[in-house]
Short mmCIF file of all heavy atoms in Angstrom, two decimals:
data_model
loop_
_atom_site.label_atom_id
_atom_site.label_comp_id
_atom_site.label_asym_id
_atom_site.label_seq_id
_atom_site.Cartn_x
_atom_site.Cartn_y
_atom_site.Cartn_z
N LYS M 169 -13.85 16.73 36.30
CA LYS M 169 -13.18 17.02 37.57
C LYS M 169 -12.51 18.40 37.54
O LYS M 169 -12.61 19.19 38.48
CB LYS M 169 -12.15 15.92 37.84
CG LYS M 169 -11.14 16.20 38.93
CD LYS M 169 -11.71 15.96 40.32
CE LYS M 169 -10.78 16.45 41.45
NZ LYS M 169 -9.37 16.16 41.27
N ASN M 172 -15.42 21.24 37.56
CA ASN M 172 -16.22 21.61 38.74
C ASN M 172 -15.66 21.06 40.05
O ASN M 172 -16.22 21.30 41.12
CB ASN M 172 -17.69 21.19 38.56
CG ASN M 172 -17.83 19.69 38.29
OD1 ASN M 172 -17.03 18.89 38.78
ND2 ASN M 172 -18.86 19.30 37.54
N GLY M 173 -14.62 20.30 39.96
CA GLY M 173 -13.96 19.84 41.17
C GLY M 173 -14.77 18.86 42.03
O GLY M 173 -14.30 18.40 43.07
N ARG M 174 -15.97 18.53 41.60
CA ARG M 174 -16.80 17.64 42.42
C ARG M 174 -16.31 16.21 42.34
O ARG M 174 -15.81 15.77 41.31
CB ARG M 174 -18.25 17.70 41.94
CG ARG M 174 -18.86 19.09 42.05
CD ARG M 174 -20.31 19.01 41.63
NE ARG M 174 -20.94 20.32 41.51
CZ ARG M 174 -22.17 20.48 41.01
NH1 ARG M 174 -22.86 19.43 40.60
NH2 ARG M 174 -22.69 21.68 40.93
N LYS M 175 -16.53 15.47 43.39
CA LYS M 175 -15.89 14.18 43.49
C LYS M 175 -16.77 12.98 43.19
O LYS M 175 -16.27 11.87 43.00
CB LYS M 175 -15.26 14.02 44.89
CG LYS M 175 -14.22 15.11 45.20
CD LYS M 175 -12.93 14.54 45.73
CE LYS M 175 -11.78 15.49 45.56
NZ LYS M 175 -11.32 16.16 46.77
N ARG M 176 -18.08 13.16 43.20
CA ARG M 176 -18.95 12.00 42.92
C ARG M 176 -19.25 11.94 41.43
O ARG M 176 -19.78 12.88 40.85
CB ARG M 176 -20.27 12.11 43.68
CG ARG M 176 -20.20 11.69 45.14
CD ARG M 176 -21.60 11.75 45.76
NE ARG M 176 -22.52 10.74 45.24
CZ ARG M 176 -23.84 10.91 45.10
NH1 ARG M 176 -24.41 12.05 45.44
NH2 ARG M 176 -24.59 9.94 44.63
N HIS M 177 -18.91 10.86 40.80
CA HIS M 177 -19.26 10.65 39.39
C HIS M 177 -20.22 9.48 39.29
O HIS M 177 -19.99 8.42 39.89
CB HIS M 177 -18.00 10.36 38.57
CG HIS M 177 -17.16 11.57 38.31
ND1 HIS M 177 -16.04 11.56 37.52
CD2 HIS M 177 -17.29 12.87 38.74
CE1 HIS M 177 -15.51 12.78 37.47
NE2 HIS M 177 -16.25 13.59 38.20
N LEU M 178 -21.30 9.68 38.55
CA LEU M 178 -22.29 8.62 38.37
C LEU M 178 -22.13 8.02 36.97
O LEU M 178 -22.04 8.76 35.99
CB LEU M 178 -23.71 9.17 38.54
CG LEU M 178 -23.99 9.94 39.83
CD1 LEU M 178 -25.46 10.32 39.90
CD2 LEU M 178 -23.60 9.11 41.06
N ALA M 195 -10.15 6.83 38.60
CA ALA M 195 -10.74 7.59 39.71
C ALA M 195 -9.77 7.63 40.89
O ALA M 195 -9.69 8.62 41.62
CB ALA M 195 -12.07 6.98 40.11
N TYR M 198 -7.67 10.48 40.05
CA TYR M 198 -8.41 11.75 40.03
C TYR M 198 -8.88 12.14 41.43
O TYR M 198 -9.21 13.29 41.67
CB TYR M 198 -9.66 11.65 39.15
CG TYR M 198 -9.43 11.28 37.70
CD1 TYR M 198 -10.51 10.86 36.91
CD2 TYR M 198 -8.16 11.36 37.10
CE1 TYR M 198 -10.34 10.53 35.59
CE2 TYR M 198 -7.99 11.02 35.76
CZ TYR M 198 -9.09 10.60 35.01
OH TYR M 198 -8.94 10.28 33.70
N GLY M 199 -9.01 11.14 42.27
CA GLY M 199 -9.60 11.41 43.58
C GLY M 199 -11.10 11.52 43.53
O GLY M 199 -11.73 12.23 44.31
N THR M 200 -11.68 10.82 42.59
CA THR M 200 -13.14 10.81 42.49
C THR M 200 -13.65 9.42 42.86
O THR M 200 -12.86 8.48 43.00
CB THR M 200 -13.59 11.13 41.05
OG1 THR M 200 -12.88 10.26 40.15
CG2 THR M 200 -13.29 12.57 40.69
N THR M 201 -14.97 9.32 43.02
CA THR M 201 -15.54 7.99 43.23
C THR M 201 -16.59 7.75 42.16
O THR M 201 -17.25 8.67 41.70
CB THR M 201 -16.22 7.88 44.61
OG1 THR M 201 -17.19 8.93 44.70
CG2 THR M 201 -15.23 8.00 45.74
N MET M 202 -16.71 6.51 41.79
CA MET M 202 -17.66 6.12 40.76
C MET M 202 -18.82 5.39 41.42
O MET M 202 -18.61 4.47 42.21
CB MET M 202 -16.99 5.13 39.79
CG MET M 202 -15.94 5.77 38.92
SD MET M 202 -16.68 6.89 37.72
CE MET M 202 -15.27 7.97 37.47
N GLU M 203 -20.02 5.81 41.04
CA GLU M 203 -21.19 5.06 41.50
C GLU M 203 -21.99 4.66 40.28
O GLU M 203 -22.08 5.41 39.31
CB GLU M 203 -22.04 5.95 42.42
CG GLU M 203 -21.30 6.30 43.70
CD GLU M 203 -21.99 7.45 44.44
OE1 GLU M 203 -23.24 7.42 44.58
OE2 GLU M 203 -21.27 8.40 44.85
N ASP M 224 -23.36 17.49 44.69
CA ASP M 224 -21.95 17.09 44.75
C ASP M 224 -21.58 16.13 43.63
O ASP M 224 -20.47 15.61 43.59
CB ASP M 224 -21.61 16.48 46.12
CG ASP M 224 -22.45 15.25 46.42
OD1 ASP M 224 -23.39 14.95 45.63
OD2 ASP M 224 -22.18 14.58 47.43
N VAL M 225 -22.51 15.91 42.73
CA VAL M 225 -22.21 15.04 41.60
C VAL M 225 -21.53 15.86 40.51
O VAL M 225 -22.10 16.84 40.01
CB VAL M 225 -23.48 14.35 41.07
CG1 VAL M 225 -23.19 13.63 39.76
CG2 VAL M 225 -24.01 13.37 42.11
N GLY M 226 -20.33 15.46 40.14
CA GLY M 226 -19.56 16.22 39.16
C GLY M 226 -19.86 15.80 37.74
O GLY M 226 -19.78 16.60 36.81
N ALA M 227 -20.20 14.54 37.53
CA ALA M 227 -20.40 14.07 36.17
C ALA M 227 -21.39 12.91 36.15
O ALA M 227 -21.44 12.10 37.08
CB ALA M 227 -19.08 13.60 35.57
#
Side-chain angles (χ1 to χ4, degrees):
Chain M
K169 166 80 189 318
N172 58 31
R174 299 184 189 173
K175 301 229 159 106
R176 280 184 68 212
H177 285 185
L178 306 185
Y198 301 165
T200 51
T201 55
M202 290 291 154
E203 295 166 45
D224 60 353
V225 171

